[in-house]
Amino acid sequence: MSDITAQIDEANQQAIQIMMAGQPVWIGCKPALEVIPGMTKNTVLHAGPPISWEEMCIPMRNGVLGAVVYEGLANNIDEAQSLVDGGEILLAPCHSYSSVGGMTGITSASMPVHVVHNRKYDTYAYCAPHEGSSPKGFGWGTNDEETIQHAHWLEDELGPVLDAALEACGGIDLREIIGRSIQMGDELHSRCVAATGHITRQLAPHIINLDLPTSMRSRVLEFMLDSDIFALHVVMAAGRSIIEPAKGVPYSSVVTTMARNGVEFGIKVSGLGDTWFTGPAQPIESIFFSPEWNAEVAAPDIGDSSIVETIGLGGMIHAASPSYANALNNNFADALAKTEDAYAMCVSEHNSWMIPYLDFKGIPFGIDVRKVLQLGITPILDTATVHVNGGKIGIGEARAPFEAFELALKALAIEWEVTM
Amino acid sequence: MSDITAQIDEANQQAIQIMMAGQPVWIGCKPALEVIPGMTKNTVLHAGPPISWEEMCIPMRNGVLGAVVYEGLANNIDEAQSLVDGGEILLAPCHSYSSVGGMTGITSASMPVHVVHNRKYDTYAYCAPHEGSSPKGFGWGTNDEETIQHAHWLEDELGPVLDAALEACGGIDLREIIGRSIQMGDELHSRCVAATGHITRQLAPHIINLDLPTSMRSRVLEFMLDSDIFALHVVMAAGRSIIEPAKGVPYSSVVTTMARNGVEFGIKVSGLGDTWFTGPAQPIESIFFSPEWNAEVAAPDIGDSSIVETIGLGGMIHAASPSYANALNNNFADALAKTEDAYAMCVSEHNSWMIPYLDFKGIPFGIDVRKVLQLGITPILDTATVHVNGGKIGIGEARAPFEAFELALKALAIEWEVTM
């Protein structure tokens, strides 16, 4: 092994040890303006790598405009459009604000965000709650009255109840929740029913004691019952908190971020800090909820939720979630084959998150840019599918584009002072 | 195929169709005296086939005496003993009262019992709640002050809160809960964490609305959080309600009951109605909670919980629960081999309860006495292990004894008018 290879391998070990040692604890659900450093009243955060208003896909634009109205900065969508055109709304990636956002990722000042504290490294991360089982939501790229009213409900009731319950219980250990939920068939991206159950069980005894109106607390518990995927955005914040301290390990080729803005897919690599490397957002192989929809009306892959694949979950572990594989019309052998690919592109296995059907082998952990390119296979990203004009229309999976990994490797090669 | 064989096969199909069509709905949790037909103030029900006081094992005797004190029929254990000696306490199997009971199965008049209604056949079944994570309880064969106080708590708080919440939500569909929980790695005997999560999620929004003291409702939710196995006794009542209408299908060799009283293991067979066929209760292959315990201080297999194996769960489906297999130091291949044996001893597969790792093959369903004896392997019964003097000391698995199946087959042969 050449010196540089040994150096890279050692750096990669260091990067994954940092991620593996993370202790993400869900400690609150507070207004973004109150907790996200740098947040302002006229900032709207979005998913994926940086993108200008002009380049954004329609669902993301819809979400931005809806958020501007929701914040009371404009009275209607037309006024919101004028504000954006006038440059009065600051648009920035969630990732630049220690945050992640589902689908369009729209996050604005008044929205509640899950607050996750990585106790090991004292970093914080944020993610607005999943909007629930409705096909509408800023995340899904709608912005009608119903969408905006629902956003107010999340702000007025969901956030305060969760925040008070989390304070009462002293926080929820997400490292443990993730480990237990994998054992229960969650891949923790599109299937989060076990994690949502664990969270509900832990919060319910505290929610019952809160000095908040009964009807409000009841609606929050109904919301958590109605939406099996509720836990996803909590897990996303956990992922965001875990990867932060692993950024900037010199020489490391471990992927610390994967995110899509609907036009581009981007990654960050440990050895290169916060630089984005991008390629085109890919089409999603979808199962549509209705025969009226098909690939022609499906927007390309979008959202920061691929932070979960970055920490070895979701599309990396279909072998842990045959029920999700089944929803995609895959059998268990298909699921297993995909997970074997995931192992082949990773540095190692997680020491605590294990796949029961593989005799408790740790999940694949630490995507290595070199291995992805050697293997010639990129990570699978589990996802929901959004209509080109907004609205949830299916679930499915996309592959990350090679371009992002190729660009990252070229940049790493310069860092490593090797000729490709 | 001989005529009689065809007749038996057809009868078996009929019996399993009845069991498979069952629609168990958890509708309440009420005092035994109020809901169990025939229950009286001085009746104490126990697990397994009929057994006299003199023959009972110590844990069961402890439970009986504790229940007599708990009911206020005696002031202390000595007085309780005198009442039993004087024949003033009626002892009878839970199974004779449309009920099932965990471990010793002790069920007395004031205890709350889960009420399950099989909506398809309009039958009811009952099971006292699991006593929780403590190693003490009448079920575990202890009867000290702590055990008795806890029984009062179950009566005063757990029962009323569950009952009111179940009334408010209109009942919980256990057929669905069982199906979803198998997909989440519960074998639904020793591992019920998914089912307990589903139940909590469904009840919590109603518990929050109840007009009962907050501290009481909070303690109930804490209890359900503390005990992953809470759902077991609900599932047991579901099983009891499912098998009742399948009793008495002429010629059928399908097992409709398996239960142990700590001395004997007994089965009932559809074609022979409520007749018990018994063999000696078997030793348990245990994982002990502490090195101070070993097989010498472990009581033989006990409890009505094997109703879950009777409906294809628990020891029949380790392949659905690698996490439980792992707790027994079994790998997935071991678990799979056991489940293959279970398929070999069953008439068919369930049409709705499926094993994800076997590409959603239905669970083994309808244990056939003939097949058990042909195969030369009896069902595995998952279980907890009790100390010979009472108290929970481990978990493990036991095999049903051949004798019970042999006696049943002999009785069936007379019914079938064939020579064995």
Side-chain angles (χ1 to χ4, degrees):
Chain A
M1 207 188 316
S2 71
D3 274 4
I4 184 67
T5 301
Q7 221 167 344
I8 297 164
D9 288 346
E10 198 187 318
N12 285 348
Q13 279 298 329
Q14 201 183 324
I16 67 162
Q17 290 306 326
I18 291 169
M19 294 204 288
M20 208 131 63
Q23 292 170 4
V25 180
W26 183 25
I27 58 166
C29 189
K30 295 179 187 296
L33 187 65
E34 198 177 298
V35 288
I36 300 180
M39 193 70 189
T40 69
K41 286 193 177 178
N42 66 340
T43 298
V44 176
L45 305 180
H46 63 76
I51 187 168
S52 70
W53 169 260
E54 290 71 24
E55 292 168 312
M56 281 181 186
C57 64
I58 290 173
M60 186 174 276
R61 287 188 186 190
N62 287 349
V64 169
L65 297 176
V68 171
V69 175
Y70 155 75
E71 290 292 344
L73 300 171
N75 288 311
N76 54 51
I77 298 297
D78 285 346
E79 280 185 30
Q81 178 73 62
S82 303
L83 287 177
V84 170
D85 290 342
E88 294 182 51
I89 304 300
L90 176 67
L91 301 172
C94 292
H95 263 286
S96 302
Y97 285 72
S98 305
S99 301
V100 278
M103 305 306 289
T104 65
I106 298 307
T107 307
S108 63
S110 307
M111 291 182 187
V113 290
H114 299 309
V115 181
V116 170
H117 182 210
N118 181 341
R119 285 194 177 155
K120 175 75 178 174
Y121 294 98
D122 200 21
T123 56
Y124 290 84
Y126 313 93
C127 185
H130 192 281
E131 290 165 277
S133 60
S134 163
K136 291 183 178 179
F138 294 145
W140 310 118
T142 66
N143 62 16
D144 61 0
E145 187 55 26
E146 188 184 337
T147 303
I148 291 169
Q149 282 313 313
H150 183 57
H152 282 296
W153 180 79
L154 297 170
E155 174 188 343
D156 295 341
E157 300 201 340
L158 183 73
V161 169
L162 290 178
D163 192 57
L166 286 163
E167 189 182 341
C169 77
I172 290 184
D173 178 349
L174 297 174
R175 195 173 200 275
E176 186 201 341
I177 295 275
I178 291 169
R180 294 186 74 189
S181 300
I182 297 169
Q183 282 194 42
M184 293 168 69
D186 280 3
E187 40 73 90
L188 286 160
H189 194 159
S190 293
R191 186 173 169 93
C192 292
V193 58
T196 299
H198 283 309
I199 283 172
T200 305
R201 277 178 79 197
Q202 291 200 23
L203 290 180
H206 300 283
I207 290 177
I208 210 130
N209 282 320
L210 298 178
D211 188 20
L212 290 168
T214 300
S215 58
M216 173 173 169
R217 291 178 292 146
S218 176
R219 280 189 290 269
V220 166
L221 285 166
E222 287 283 3
F223 180 77
M224 291 169 73
L225 169 61
D226 183 54
S227 176
D228 284 348
I229 204 169
F230 172 81
L232 171 60
H233 287 215
V234 180
V235 173
M236 284 168 60
R240 183 66 184 82
S241 81
I242 283 171
I243 59 94
E244 186 61 30
K247 288 178 180 172
V249 176
Y251 294 93
S252 171
S253 57
V254 165
V255 174
T256 55
T257 295
M258 297 194 288
R260 321 81 108 191
N261 59 31
V263 177
E264 283 189 314
F265 163 95
I267 65 172
K268 295 182 180 182
V269 176
S270 175
L272 300 170
D274 272 313
T275 311
W276 287 100
F277 302 95
T278 64
Q282 297 296 296
I284 299 163
E285 201 174 314
S286 301
I287 306 288
F288 295 100
F289 297 148
S290 158
E292 70 185 291
W293 297 312
N294 55 51
E296 286 178 23
V297 297
D301 195 23
I302 188 168
D304 288 334
S305 56
S306 41
I307 191 73
V308 308
E309 277 81 8
T310 313
I311 59 168
L313 308 172
M316 306 290 280
I317 53 165
H318 284 196
S321 188
S323 295
Y324 181 62
N326 186 57
L328 298 177
N329 298 326
N330 282 183
N331 63 24
F332 189 55
D334 299 330
L336 203 53
K338 288 176 178 175
T339 298
E340 277 162 9
D341 285 344
Y343 279 111
M345 64 182 80
C346 282
V347 173
S348 189
E349 295 157 19
H350 199 280
N351 59 10
S352 302
W353 298 341
M354 297 175 291
I355 301 182
Y357 300 90
L358 302 181
D359 284 327
F360 294 86
K361 183 176 178 175
I363 65 168
F365 202 68
I367 298 168
D368 183 343
V369 166
R370 298 174 304 172
K371 291 192 171 188
V372 167
L373 293 169
Q374 278 160 15
L375 187 66
I377 296 177
T378 58
I380 291 172
L381 315 172
D382 290 341
T383 188
T385 307
V386 158
H387 192 281
V388 283
N389 293 321
K392 181 168 66 170
I393 60 173
I395 58 161
E397 56 184 4
R399 286 273 178 188
F402 279 105
E403 290 88 334
F405 296 87
E406 285 163 349
L407 289 172
L409 190 65
K410 279 182 192 164
L412 283 164
I414 293 167
E415 179 87 353
W416 297 334
E417 298 179 355
V418 296
T419 312
M420 296 298 288
Chain B
M1 208 188 316
S2 70
D3 273 4
I4 184 67
T5 301
Q7 221 166 344
I8 296 164
D9 288 346
E10 198 188 317
N12 285 348
Q13 280 298 329
Q14 201 183 324
I16 67 163
Q17 291 306 326
I18 292 169
M19 294 204 288
M20 208 131 64
Q23 292 170 4
V25 181
W26 184 25
I27 58 166
C29 189
K30 295 180 187 295
L33 187 65
E34 198 177 298
V35 288
I36 300 180
M39 193 69 188
T40 69
K41 287 192 178 178
N42 65 340
T43 298
V44 177
L45 305 180
H46 63 76
I51 187 168
S52 69
W53 169 260
E54 290 70 25
E55 291 168 313
M56 282 181 185
C57 64
I58 290 172
M60 186 174 276
R61 287 188 187 191
N62 287 349
V64 170
L65 297 177
V68 171
V69 174
Y70 155 75
E71 290 292 344
L73 299 171
N75 288 311
N76 53 52
I77 298 297
D78 285 345
E79 280 186 30
Q81 178 74 62
S82 302
L83 287 177
V84 170
D85 290 342
E88 294 182 50
I89 304 300
L90 176 67
L91 301 172
C94 292
H95 263 286
S96 303
Y97 285 72
S98 305
S99 301
V100 277
M103 305 306 290
T104 65
I106 298 306
T107 307
S108 63
S110 307
M111 291 182 186
V113 290
H114 299 309
V115 181
V116 170
H117 182 210
N118 181 341
R119 285 194 178 155
K120 175 74 177 174
Y121 295 98
D122 200 22
T123 55
Y124 291 84
Y126 313 93
C127 185
H130 192 282
E131 290 164 277
S133 60
S134 163
K136 291 183 179 180
F138 294 145
W140 309 118
T142 66
N143 62 16
D144 62 0
E145 186 56 27
E146 188 184 337
T147 303
I148 292 169
Q149 282 312 312
H150 183 57
H152 282 296
W153 179 80
L154 297 170
E155 174 189 342
D156 295 341
E157 300 201 340
L158 183 73
V161 169
L162 290 178
D163 192 57
L166 286 163
E167 189 182 341
C169 78
I172 290 184
D173 178 349
L174 297 174
R175 195 174 200 273
E176 186 201 342
I177 296 274
I178 290 170
R180 294 186 76 189
S181 301
I182 297 169
Q183 282 194 42
M184 293 168 69
D186 280 3
E187 39 74 89
L188 287 160
H189 194 159
S190 293
R191 186 173 168 93
C192 293
V193 58
T196 299
H198 283 308
I199 283 172
T200 305
R201 278 178 79 198
Q202 291 200 24
L203 289 181
H206 300 283
I207 291 177
I208 211 133
N209 282 319
L210 298 178
D211 188 21
L212 290 169
T214 299
S215 58
M216 174 174 168
R217 292 178 292 146
S218 177
R219 280 189 290 268
V220 166
L221 285 166
E222 287 283 3
F223 180 77
M224 290 169 73
L225 169 61
D226 183 54
S227 176
D228 284 348
I229 204 170
F230 172 80
L232 171 60
H233 287 215
V234 180
V235 173
M236 284 168 60
R240 183 67 184 80
S241 81
I242 283 171
I243 59 93
E244 186 61 30
K247 288 179 181 172
V249 176
Y251 294 93
S252 171
S253 57
V254 165
V255 174
T256 55
T257 295
M258 297 194 288
R260 320 83 106 190
N261 59 30
V263 177
E264 283 190 313
F265 163 96
I267 65 172
K268 295 182 180 182
V269 176
S270 175
L272 300 171
D274 272 313
T275 311
W276 287 100
F277 302 95
T278 64
Q282 297 296 297
I284 299 164
E285 202 174 314
S286 301
I287 307 288
F288 294 100
F289 297 149
S290 158
E292 69 184 292
W293 297 311
N294 55 50
E296 285 177 24
V297 297
D301 195 23
I302 189 168
D304 288 334
S305 56
S306 41
I307 192 73
V308 308
E309 278 80 9
T310 313
I311 59 168
L313 308 172
M316 306 291 280
I317 53 165
H318 284 196
S321 188
S323 294
Y324 180 62
N326 186 58
L328 297 178
N329 299 326
N330 282 182
N331 63 24
F332 188 56
D334 299 330
L336 200 55
K338 288 176 178 175
T339 298
E340 277 162 8
D341 285 344
Y343 279 111
M345 64 182 79
C346 282
V347 173
S348 189
E349 295 157 18
H350 199 280
N351 58 11
S352 302
W353 298 341
M354 298 175 291
I355 301 181
Y357 302 92
L358 303 181
D359 284 327
F360 294 86
K361 183 176 177 175
I363 65 168
F365 202 68
I367 297 169
D368 183 343
V369 166
R370 297 174 305 172
K371 292 191 171 189
V372 167
L373 293 170
Q374 277 159 15
L375 187 67
I377 297 177
T378 58
I380 291 173
L381 315 172
D382 290 342
T383 189
T385 307
V386 158
H387 192 282
V388 283
N389 293 322
K392 182 168 65 170
I393 59 173
I395 58 162
E397 56 184 5
R399 287 273 178 187
F402 279 105
E403 290 87 334
F405 296 87
E406 285 163 350
L407 289 172
L409 190 65
K410 279 183 192 164
L412 283 164
I414 293 167
E415 179 88 354
W416 297 333
E417 298 179 356
V418 296
T419 311
M420 296 297 287

